[in-house]
């Protein structure tokens, strides 16, 4: 391989890393403004945004951009230069599209981002910074899908569901933004499962963070806890830690009236539950299909495996606190809301 | 005076009065429904719009019984939904089977002249289910009809022209009941000339599921394969948890008998009805569920028109509330 060529791509990686670090600096006025606007308009809480940015800063400052490039062996030969990648970003939590945007840019592909109207400021401040660096790639973004008319993207990244995939694809074809050769990378994971086998304060704090951060809206958020303990046994203990968490991280989005309906239903069928003002914890192994609800399941490792298999592609990650669960891939619970930059949504790497 | 179950068919009493009487009776005497109302803070003296609808899953979790006083001690009738092994199934205890029978007959009489019809039933997938409410209903209709031509059709056999001709000769019309895809199989297998006033009554269900198809496309296919006008393809909307049925007659809109009422509920707040024409969860008030629970929130998606007719738009799928999910109209 030609050394100069190799150096060119290393230079690209360095520029991306450096610009990301600069974007995350506390004195970055553009980011500060974006945060203020996001909070003012009630999109996300200041605490959730601060948590997300602090997490990203820790990862980036520890050299994870370069490490990510190394892990996927990005080089002058192995890269995505010349590829047009269209990212359709969701807006369920602050900067949820950051990883896709950074990964696409890092790979050398031309980045086209449809930003969510529910989170339009934070990611655009990052993209503005990237655009100002001399990166020799296209960076275009908009909150309007129509702005990608005639793009003819090589790849489209988005998170969807059975119902949303077809309308999205139809719309993209209508706009001529894609063609028959476009590769669609669609993520379907909706929530994560955790196995809780002890009541140590650190474990419980990790669990609370994993469940309640971002109002439980992320696919890395725990929606199902499997534990050898019954809910009634840990209810009081658990509640104390939740209150502590909410004191420091008030939940911005509140549940709808149907949560009270679910509470009444649980009462009717005599299902054990805990009503935590803005969240409902209920003992059931049903599919977690409601917002602001945590399902508590009494069981062992085999129950975790059964649920993972039953819930299929909806499960993002299975977390553990101590020993491994044989036969399935797990991550540590403490990493639930602080994943490495290269974490794999749906088990598929972004780059 | 205490409200009597068979008064639900009495048209001199308003639906509202009957529903409020039954609500009072059930909220006070049905332990599951009583706890539900109490947890919602609903008192017994309310108006009909405030009656809470019990989520239908309750029939999978508990026995929903308001009174067992007429039940036989040595066994009782119950219906159970179909399902694969390991799957939780709904169980509906039927304290008074005669009340169900009258609901079936009177309900059909509101829309069809039953004297005119021979009933044939083709129910693959249900026959092995001894507690199917659909099979029970069809059996009641077949037993009621006195020509001797009504029957359950044998599985995997074709329709015979000679038998169809016998119905024609008797001066009656054929009403052919069947689960959605079972009927398609039957139509494909059979090469017969049905009278143009034959009614094909599709009862929903995907028991012999073999393809994805909209209801509209299914009906068009059935009309084509049976050689009938589209308006002869009708539907029945019923389920294990209900003892009354609604019917659609050649369109996608369903009508209820007078003791059954459908409302479309806001999934984010099932105490509220949505605006006419908006999609929501189908709520059913079925007064024939006198001994279980008459106020049910189904898991089906539907809409209502100005004539109080409703359409069933499939299952409500709330699985996408969590996690990233890019939606054109929101993101």
């Amino acid at each position: 391989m030609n050394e100069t060529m190799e150096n060119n791509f290393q230079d690209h990686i360095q520029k991306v890393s450096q610009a990301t670090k600069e974007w995350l600096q506390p004195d970055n006025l553009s980011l500060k403004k974006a945060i203020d606007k996001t909070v003012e308009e009630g999109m996300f809480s200041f605490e959730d945004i601060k948590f997300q940015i602090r997490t990203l800063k820790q990862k980036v400052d520890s050299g994870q951009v370069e490490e990510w490039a190394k892990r996927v062996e990005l080089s002058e030969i192995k890269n995505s230069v010349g590829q047009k990648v269209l990212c359709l970003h969701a807006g369920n939590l602050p900067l949820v599209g950051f990883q896709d945007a950074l990964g696409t840019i890092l790979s050398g592909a031309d980045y086209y981002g449809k930003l969510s109207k529910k989170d339009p400021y934070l990611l655009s401040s990052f993209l503005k910074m990237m655009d100002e660096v001399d990166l020799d790639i296209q960076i275009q973004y908009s909150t309007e899908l129509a702005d990608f008319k005639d793009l003819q993207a090589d790849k489209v990244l988005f998170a969807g569901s059975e119902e949303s995939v077809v309308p999205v694809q139809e719309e993209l074809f209508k706009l001529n933004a894609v063609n028959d050769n476009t590769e669609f990378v669609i993520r379907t994971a909706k929530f994560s499962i955790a196995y809780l086998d002890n009541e140590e304060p650190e474990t419980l704090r990790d669990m609370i963070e994993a469940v309640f951060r971002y109002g439980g809206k992320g696919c890395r958020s725990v929606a199902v806890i499997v534990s050898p303990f019954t809910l009634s046994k840990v209810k009081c203990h658990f509640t104390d830690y939740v209150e502590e968490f909410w004191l420091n991280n008030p939940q911005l989005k509140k549940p709808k009236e149907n949560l009270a309906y679910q509470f009444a239903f649980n009462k009717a069928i005599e299902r054990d539950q805990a009503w935590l003002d803005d969240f409902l914890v209920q003992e059931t192994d049903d599919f977690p299909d409601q917002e602001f609800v945590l399902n508590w399941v009494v069981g062992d490792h085999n129950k975790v495996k059964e649920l993972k298999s039953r819930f299929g592609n909806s499960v993002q990650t299975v977390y553990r606190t101590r020993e491994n669960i044989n036969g399935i891939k797990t991550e540590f619970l403490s990493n639930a809301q602080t994943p490495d930059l290269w974490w794999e949504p749906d088990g598929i790497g972004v780059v | 005076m205490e409200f009597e179950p068979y008064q639900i068919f009495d048209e001199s009493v308003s639906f509202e009065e009957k529903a409020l009487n039954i609500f009072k009776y059930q909220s006070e005497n049905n332990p599951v429904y009583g706890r539900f109302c109490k947890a919602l803070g609903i008192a017994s003296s309310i108006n009909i719009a405030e009656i809470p609808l019990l989520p239908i899953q309750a029939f999978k979790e508990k026995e929903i019984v308001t009174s067992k006083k007429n039940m036989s001690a040595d066994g009782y009738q119950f219906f159970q939904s179909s399902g694969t092994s390991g799957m939780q199934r709904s169980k509906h205890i039927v304290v008074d089977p005669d009340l169900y029978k009258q609901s079936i007959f009177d309900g059909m009489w509101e829309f069809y002249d039953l004297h005119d019809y021979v009933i044939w039933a083709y129910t693959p997938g249900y026959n092995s289910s001894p507690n199917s409410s659909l099979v029970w209903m069809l059996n009641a209709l077949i037993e009621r009809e006195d020509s001797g031509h009504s029957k359950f059709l044998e599985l995997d056999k074709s329709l015979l022209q000679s038998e169809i001709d016998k119905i024609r000769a008797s001066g009656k019309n054929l009403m052919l009941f069947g689960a959605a895809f079972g009927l398609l199989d039957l139509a494909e297998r059979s090469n017969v000339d049905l009278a143009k006033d034959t009614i094909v009554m599709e009862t929903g269900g995907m028991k012999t599921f073999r393809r994805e198809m909209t209801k509209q496309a299914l009906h068009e296919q059935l009309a084509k394969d049976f050689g009938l006008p589209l308006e002869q393809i009708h539907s029945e909307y019923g389920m294990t948890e209900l003892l009354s049925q609604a019917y659609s007659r050649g369109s996608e809109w369903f009508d209820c008998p007078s003791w059954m009422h459908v409302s479309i509920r806001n999934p984010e707040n099932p105490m509220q009805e949505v605006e006419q024409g908006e999609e929501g969860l189908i709520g059913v008030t079925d007064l024939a569920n006198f001994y279980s629970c008459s106020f049910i929130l189904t898991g089906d998606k539907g809409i209502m028109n100005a004539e109080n007719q409703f359409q069933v738009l499939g299952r409500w799928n709330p699985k996408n509330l969590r996690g990233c999910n890019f939606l054109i109209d929101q993101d």
Side-chain angles (χ1 to χ4, degrees), chain B residues 149-167:
Chain B
H149 298 305
S150 290
K151 61 179 179 177
F152 280 95
L153 299 176
E154 281 184 69
L155 299 188
D156 302 325
K157 297 270 174 66
S158 308
L159 296 177
L160 294 176
Q161 189 64 49
S162 56
E163 295 193 344
I164 289 162
D165 292 342
K166 276 185 205 163
I167 295 173

Side-chain angles (χ1 to χ4, degrees), chain A residues 2-210:
Chain A
N2 179 318
E3 203 174 312
T4 321
M5 281 168 68
E6 179 61 17
N7 284 342
N8 281 347
F9 206 78
Q10 285 309 317
D11 189 39
H12 170 80
I13 294 166
Q14 279 310 315
K15 280 182 184 170
V16 172
S17 173
Q18 191 53 37
T20 309
K21 279 181 189 155
E22 282 171 26
W23 174 65
L24 290 163
Q25 286 305 306
D27 60 357
N28 176 4
L29 285 180
S30 152
L31 176 58
K32 196 176 171 304
K33 234 188 226 173
I35 294 170
D36 289 346
K37 237 175 153 186
T38 303
V39 174
E40 263 168 41
E41 293 184 21
M43 291 168 172
F44 301 109
S45 73
F46 177 69
E47 290 77 11
D48 277 351
I49 300 171
K50 195 170 77 177
F51 178 86
Q52 176 72 290
I53 286 173
R54 195 175 57 219
T55 303
L56 291 175
K57 187 163 168 28
Q58 277 166 3
K59 304 295 173 187
V60 172
D61 285 350
S62 69
Q64 284 205 355
V65 175
E66 292 86 345
E67 175 63 20
W68 191 4
K70 205 184 286 174
R71 279 173 173 252
V72 294
E73 299 171 338
L74 281 176
S75 69
E76 193 67 33
I77 296 166
K78 193 180 167 197
N79 58 51
S80 301
V81 172
Q83 294 265 304
K84 286 192 268 188
V85 177
L86 173 60
C87 299
L88 307 178
H89 300 297
N92 50 320
L93 38 140
L95 284 165
V96 70
F98 177 80
Q99 190 203 23
D100 281 346
L102 175 63
T104 302
I105 291 168
L106 187 64
S107 75
D110 292 333
Y111 166 85
Y112 298 86
K114 158 70 183 73
L115 307 189
S116 171
K117 294 182 179 88
K118 291 184 274 188
D119 182 17
Y121 309 123
L122 297 169
L123 194 55
S124 63
S125 86
F126 168 68
L127 295 167
K128 190 164 166 269
M129 175 75 90
M130 283 291 156
D131 206 18
E132 284 164 8
V133 183
D134 181 23
L135 281 180
D136 207 23
I137 60 170
Q138 287 289 320
I139 294 180
Q140 287 179 29
Y141 49 96
S142 166
T143 54
E144 298 303 324
L145 197 58
D147 288 344
F148 302 98
K149 193 173 185 302
D150 298 325
L151 176 65
Q152 298 281 298
D154 296 296
K155 197 181 246 189
V156 176
L157 294 183
F158 78 105
S161 61
E162 285 161 29
E163 292 77 28
S164 65
V165 169
V166 172
V168 169
Q169 287 178 327
E170 280 173 1
E171 187 66 21
L172 291 173
F173 273 103
K174 210 162 77 187
L175 288 169
N176 203 27
V178 296
N179 57 45
D180 290 339
N181 298 320
T182 302
E183 183 191 346
F184 284 87
V185 181
I186 300 159
R187 283 81 169 260
T188 57
K190 302 279 168 241
F191 61 86
S192 295
I193 300 176
Y195 183 65
L196 180 74
D197 54 4
N198 69 84
E199 291 181 84
E200 300 296 323
E202 202 182 336
T203 304
L204 285 181
R205 284 200 176 91
D206 287 342
M207 184 61 82
I208 300 301
E209 182 79 49

Side-chain angles (χ1 to χ4, degrees), chain A residues 215-232:
Chain A
K217 283 174 174 283
C219 66
R220 292 185 64 87
S221 296
V222 169
V224 179
I225 292 178
V226 179
S227 173
F229 314 122
T230 61
L231 176 59
S232 62

